[in-house]
Amino acid sequence: MEGVDHLAHERSKAQFDVDEMKIVWAGSRHSFEVSDRISRLVASDPVFRKDNRTMLARKDLFKNTLRKAAHAWKRIIDLRLTEEEAKTLRFFVDEPAYTDLHWGMFLPAIQGQGTDEQQEKWLPLAYKMQIIGCYAQTELGHGSNVQGLETTATFDPQKDEFIINSPTLTSSKWWPGGLGKISTHAVVYARLITDGQDHGVHGFIVQLRSLDDHLPLPGITVGDIGMKFGSGAYNSMDNGVLRFDNVRIPRDQMLMRVSQVTREGKYMQSNVPRQLVYGTMVFVRKTIVSDASCALSRAVCIATRYSAVRRQFGSQKGGVETQVIDYKTQQSRLFPLLASAYAFRFVGEWLSWLYTDVTQRLQAKDFATLPEAHACTAGLKSLTTSATADAIEECRKLCGGHGYLSSSGLPELFAVYVPACTYEGDNIVLLLQVARFLVKTVSQLVSGKKPVGTTAYLGRVELLMQSRPNVQKAEDWLQPSVIVEVFEARATRMSVACAKNVSKFPSLEEGFAELSADLVEAAVAHCQLIVVSKFIEKLQQVIPGKGVKEQLLNLCYIYALFLLHKHLGDFVSTGCITPKQASLANDQLRSLYSQVRPNAVALVDAFNYTDHYLSSVLGRYDGNVYQNLYDEAWKDPLNESVVPDGYHEYVRPLLTQQLRNARL
Amino acid sequence: MEGVDHLAHERSKAQFDVDEMKIVWAGSRHSFEVSDRISRLVASDPVFRKDNRTMLARKDLFKNTLRKAAHAWKRIIDLRLTEEEAKTLRFFVDEPAYTDLHWGMFLPAIQGQGTDEQQEKWLPLAYKMQIIGCYAQTELGHGSNVQGLETTATFDPQKDEFIINSPTLTSSKWWPGGLGKISTHAVVYARLITDGQDHGVHGFIVQLRSLDDHLPLPGITVGDIGMKFGSGAYNSMDNGVLRFDNVRIPRDQMLMRVSQVTREGKYMQSNVPRQLVYGTMVFVRKTIVSDASCALSRAVCIATRYSAVRRQFGSQKGGVETQVIDYKTQQSRLFPLLASAYAFRFVGEWLSWLYTDVTQRLQAKDFATLPEAHACTAGLKSLTTSATADAIEECRKLCGGHGYLSSSGLPELFAVYVPACTYEGDNIVLLLQVARFLVKTVSQLVSGKKPVGTTAYLGRVELLMQSRPNVQKAEDWLQPSVIVEVFEARATRMSVACAKNVSKFPSLEEGFAELSADLVEAAVAHCQLIVVSKFIEKLQQVIPGKGVKEQLLNLCYIYALFLLHKHLGDFVSTGCITPKQASLANDQLRSLYSQVRPNAVALVDAFNYTDHYLSSVLGRYDGNVYQNLYDEAWKDPLNESVVPDGYHEYVRPLLTQQLRNARL
Ligand SMILES: Cc1cc2nc3c(=O)[nH]c(=O)nc-3n(C[C@H](O)[C@H](O)[C@H](O)COP(=O)(O)OP(=O)(O)OC[C@H]3O[C@@H](n4cnc5c(N)ncnc54)[C@H](O)[C@@H]3O)c2cc1C
Ligand SMILES: Cc1cc2nc3c(=O)[nH]c(=O)nc-3n(C[C@H](O)[C@H](O)[C@H](O)COP(=O)(O)OP(=O)(O)OC[C@H]3O[C@@H](n4cnc5c(N)ncnc54)[C@H](O)[C@@H]3O)c2cc1C
């Protein structure tokens, strides 16, 4: 059976040019070429094998990750990879590792918050990995509320040094990735204190371990915080705990781009605008959104292929059974997730544009659009990560019993993905920020302040409070303008209702607190509108390739109408659509599912994932699921012996006992 | 800090008698006493420790489980525990083990499907654990579709034996718990073939391993199917793979209560009604529903206590911060789950009554209510397990970053729980069965057939198609009759709409297939109505204890109004309630949350869980979270050495390298 493509029939049914779709998915021909080449490079290298991950005990798992990280670095150097290629390689190695934080947080923190001299000193060391850094912000007692951090950095003008200290148990740094066992340095966030005065939280570069023998420096207690969700999964990362017992660092290791402490101990603001932090935030969140589309598409790829392989019920007179992908329930659970994968991909692409825009505006000292950009990225981070986490688990369920096996790849994908809902801002806390921004925007409308960017639609509030879509038959839903208007109307009405209700409370703060659950829902409505709009905007571009645009259009409608159905209460109770129109949308959705059905396998092939990256027996490209499930099973350590360890001590005595005093 | 109750203040706020609530939760004073005594017994026994589970490699984990199972058995015998106590003990040992299937599936299968002689022969052996059995139904190729199983049992009249065979790869038995390494016997489901004729799937008792040396008998290939979701979790179970190469068993090992094969090879039905299987099904599902309430309440207990300990934001002028349980978003996510735990508990209790009822009717050969009872239990199994799986993950998210640590207990609880959505009937497949039953019931209304049991309300279809609740202000929602009517109206209208739409298709089957996603939603509406009604019925009983009933009433309203909000689209688009009434329900919900808030910790204390059972640092009874998180961390194997294994090979070379040809 080796070499047979069990999904060939499915592939032959596709009504579009898969190779062109691969380019669309990748973002450009260049991106496709890089990711295709590097993913194969990783897949063909035995050091990067992943299939035994879940069977390794923690120490072995961790050591194996160190090995991969070193090998990855060696490949990057030996092959003289570009920065883009190096990043792509780390991505396809696909294992949380200390290097993620070194490249993803430590370096950007210094770039964003360090002065030019600091950058000149530290960046080359970090770029060459002569030091390894992490990002130590969260403490045992404070995560979301960064302003509540307790670690102190007290300036000692006598020695021109800061004294970093952990005054309480809850001030222990807790969670930073790469901290536990590997990092030699950290950007540590601590309350800056000069002359008895607390200036709030600032960043400091602190060396943690000796570069000679890797032992923690005096005054530093550091270790790993222990096992996390899943086997394998995030346990290859050494999230760490860190305590400081009055550790001294030179003054010039405070990150001083925005504010400074002088030799005399004077605290000062530089002329660099504080808003700079927004740039970094948009950057990090854009990465998180595009990671969401990767994780989601990966789960969808597995579930789609397996749903085409799996047959259950429906055989007529001993004939072959129905592929489960042909059941409408399976389609109505799976295809909206397929559509979401594409939707998140495109909104991620748009965020790259937004990042460029924000950067340029910052350079031009134009801060006007920053709050909107900030709210927008916060909301999109929250929306896409929550949806992706749920979707991975739904994909697992879509695979029935076999989805519960580690070899399906889905349990580990879930376990490694879910913290994205929590880190870089707890998703609910982020949505509350979005909601506040929306309420503020709405209340400023009367004073004539014009909403910008993704909130521009609120400028048409009067129209949108009244609008009714012209939908009389199912096909009427297949109009981008109708879809956008309905989503705008819903988001507007929910924001306006919130603003109105909040204002009824004695104070705004009370109103926000009391109505926060409603506010979160309004924020979600706004964010979903953004995703829908950006998908539609994408389709207004020229997209070459036979049938490619048609497929994307179908997916776009599925995404929108699925949301409409899921949040029907919002749409109907705000009067944006009638129950009759809702039911027409549902009819249209079913017909869209039928149109996607023959293209489903090809639509996931377009992600161009190697079997190595998927690491799922159920998601194999060739669909040869059963033989491989069977073969995988025998690799479990439990199968090393026929009679299991423990049988003689703990099972045999039961089987051979004579029961005397049992009541049973 | 040892011995200090960090949650004492919370407990002092409770407005009801917690001890009386414990009795209500347990179901009776007797049940409370048993579960309280046995749970402490387990908690105090060092053999039953669970805290190192997630750090063990598979073989060690498995061996440890064997040890616990043997120890549990020894305690059961030594202490001469009753059957109820023994079951309770196994429950609190709280680790999937081969004994679950032995007691929970192997024995019941023989009881339900074996003749009297077969029971006399096999049950005593099984009761004394002189044989250990499992339930081998599912195959690599077939789970949901039991009728599609491929294993054959061909009668050989010459030798008076059945030949059990696995003709294809996909016919390999796959998944049975306890099969992989331990079971000596199995009830194997196979196609019965006599004289070339296929009589469909029947059960057979097959010995798998020698009772002398535990080696598989000739012709039998058996092993473990490998790692499953999570670390620890379900990996203590040896779910197995099994192949038969023409294995012979005596004729009297076919389970012959319902149908038989005679010495001559004649296939015959006995006079025992086939419907008997329904009894077992109701029994198994009642257990699953009550397990759901346990798993859910456990997660809710952890999240509630931690939400009362955790403080984040909102400090005024350096004062103490807000407990996150005081945020309305946290309440609106957590309290409905608390309410669901109670709701599922009571519906589980009611299922015990239903089981007795069904058993009595079966004895009296009254089969009239069986289809309804069957649909009802299928639906409740699906509803409660899906809701519980989602709720556990939501509770984990409610704990922020720390919920992601294994020591929070939540990751493992999720990983071990989720397969309940798949085994004993895939939840979607079950809902489709419920929906078919509903549509049938609706279409038979015209012919005057009176719906029974949980579908009785459909008899008032005309009224319910018209009814409008009399709700003009928020408090109007606080009437059981209003709640029930609204839920009945919604369920009725959705079922009727489905029946109507299905009938528009050329054939019923086509209609069912095409509209299956809508059908599933109608089934959910029906099942939610059952849970709401049974909660309300429970509250019509006398419930002693200061404030107990008041608290339960609040939870009941929360459960109902939360569902109403979640499925608002259903309610509003079918015209069951107006948007205005929906908004009043929302207002009422907020005020109910405020009423539950001071009682929240006491309401989870009422579950009476030991810290051993919870196995969660975040859920500790004393709320001493931070010190224990900190102490737990250091136990990780990675912390055994300061410099990690692998540093010298894989990290030091990076730090000390001279880069020459890098492009970076
Ligand atoms: C895998 C992983 C990796 C991480 N890596 C790093 C790292 O490298 N460096 C680092 O510094 N940190 C890291 N973190 C920490 C992470 O940033 C924090 O966990 C995150 O910010 C959430 O904060 P918290 O844990 O304090 O949650 P909490 O704020 O305690 O959340 C608990 C609950 O309270 C709710 N809540 C909190 N505040 C409010 C409010 N104002 N209104 C309403 N509800 C509220 C939340 O919604 C949540 O339900 C990591 C975490 C994880 C899980
Ligand atoms: C932890 C665990 C323990 C188990 N223990 C045992 C055991 O002890 N003994 C034993 O015999 N088995 C056991 N099983 C197997 C279990 O009973 C099956 O996995 C279960 O019945 C689901 O069947 P499946 O895996 O074939 O799912 P499938 O039927 O393949 O489901 C795949 C997808 O197809 C969909 N689907 C299937 N049919 C239809 C349809 N007609 N219409 C619409 N959609 C459909 C499902 O909804 C699902 O989304 C266990 C499984 C697990 C995970």
Side-chain angles (χ1 to χ4, degrees), chain B residues 4 39 59 188 194 223 250 455 526-527 546 571 623 645:
Chain B
V4 174
S39 68
K59 274 164 93 168
V188 171
T194 63
T455 53
H526 170 69
C527 298
K546 176 183 154 270
F571 288 93
D645 201 12

Side-chain angles (χ1 to χ4, degrees), chain A residues 80 142 145 321 404 415 663, chain B residues 82 142 145 321 404 415 661:
Chain A
R80 310 192 70 206
H142 288 89
N145 182 14
E321 291 170 282
Y404 190 61
R663 256 163 81 178
Chain B
T82 63
H142 289 89
N145 182 14
E321 290 170 283
Y404 191 61
N661 45 359

Side-chain angles (χ1 to χ4, degrees), chain B residues 309-320:
Chain B
V309 169
R310 184 71 171 173
R311 293 172 180 273
Q312 206 77 194
F313 294 105
S315 97
Q316 243 109 47
K317 307 192 178 65
V320 39

Side-chain angles (χ1 to χ4, degrees), chain A residues 310 312-313 324 327 329-330 333 397-401 404, chain B residues 101 135-138 142-144 175-177 234 239 419 422-424 426 428-429 432:
Chain A
R310 184 71 170 172
Q312 207 76 193
F313 294 104
V324 299
Y327 292 116
T329 44
Q330 194 84 355
R333 295 155 72 201
K397 291 206 182 88
L398 283 162
C399 296
Y404 190 61
Chain B
L101 285 299
Y135 185 88
Q137 179 174 300
T138 307
H142 289 89
S144 300
W175 272 119
Y234 224 94
N239 294 93
T422 305
Y423 59 54
E424 285 302 317
D426 170 272
I428 297 298
V429 174
L432 286 170

Side-chain angles (χ1 to χ4, degrees), chain A residues 400-615:
Chain A
H402 302 345
Y404 190 61
L405 285 168
S406 294
S407 59
S408 81
L410 292 164
E412 214 187 333
L413 185 57
F414 183 78
V416 85
Y417 188 75
V418 285
C421 299
T422 306
Y423 57 54
E424 285 303 317
D426 170 273
N427 280 353
I428 297 297
V429 174
L430 291 180
L431 287 176
L432 286 170
Q433 292 173 8
V434 177
R436 272 174 188 270
F437 179 73
L438 289 173
V439 168
K440 196 170 157 194
T441 306
V442 167
S443 24
Q444 288 176 341
L445 287 175
V446 281
S447 65
K449 185 159 181 207
K450 243 186 111 173
V452 295
T454 56
T455 53
Y457 69 99
L458 288 170
R460 288 178 285 118
V461 58
E462 271 155 50
L463 204 84
L464 289 170
M465 292 301 286
Q466 303 298 332
S467 75
R468 294 210 176 328
N470 185 8
V471 171
Q472 266 132 29
K473 46 190 195 314
E475 306 82 68
D476 291 343
W477 278 113
L478 302 183
Q479 301 172 70
S481 59
V482 168
I483 299 274
V484 172
E485 189 190 317
V486 165
F487 273 80
E488 285 181 347
R490 165 206 183 209
T492 303
R493 294 177 200 194
M494 291 175 75
S495 285
V496 168
C498 281
K500 213 149 127 194
N501 293 335
V502 163
S503 72
K504 288 182 198 155
F505 283 79
S507 81
L508 218 61
E509 279 319 302
E510 262 173 84
F512 273 124
E514 188 63 21
L515 299 178
S516 57
D518 297 349
L519 287 161
V520 163
E521 291 179 6
V524 168
H526 170 69
C527 299
Q528 289 177 343
L529 163 64
I530 302 178
V531 181
V532 168
S533 312
K534 297 304 159 195
F535 203 152
I536 287 176
E537 280 175 23
K538 170 82 191 177
L539 296 180
Q540 280 152 1
Q541 298 169 14
V542 179
I543 299 179
K546 177 184 153 268
V548 170
K549 199 176 218 171
E550 288 75 3
Q551 292 305 319
L552 292 175
L553 204 56
N554 281 344
L555 291 174
C556 179
Y557 287 129
I558 288 180
Y559 182 70
L561 295 181
F562 148 76
L563 286 180
L564 187 140
H565 182 68
K566 186 171 167 197
H567 299 272
L568 195 56
D570 290 358
F571 287 93
V572 177
S573 72
T574 53
C576 292
I577 64 168
T578 65
K580 173 73 193 157
Q581 290 171 328
S583 143
L584 292 173
N586 233 11
D587 294 342
Q588 188 52 56
L589 208 41
R590 275 203 313 280
S591 121
L592 287 163
Y593 293 154
S594 302
Q595 290 172 55
V596 165
R597 166 63 189 93
N599 298 289
V601 168
L603 283 167
V604 302
D605 284 349
F607 305 146
N608 199 41
Y609 292 145
T610 61
D611 280 349
H612 171 271
Y613 180 62
L614 286 178
S615 53

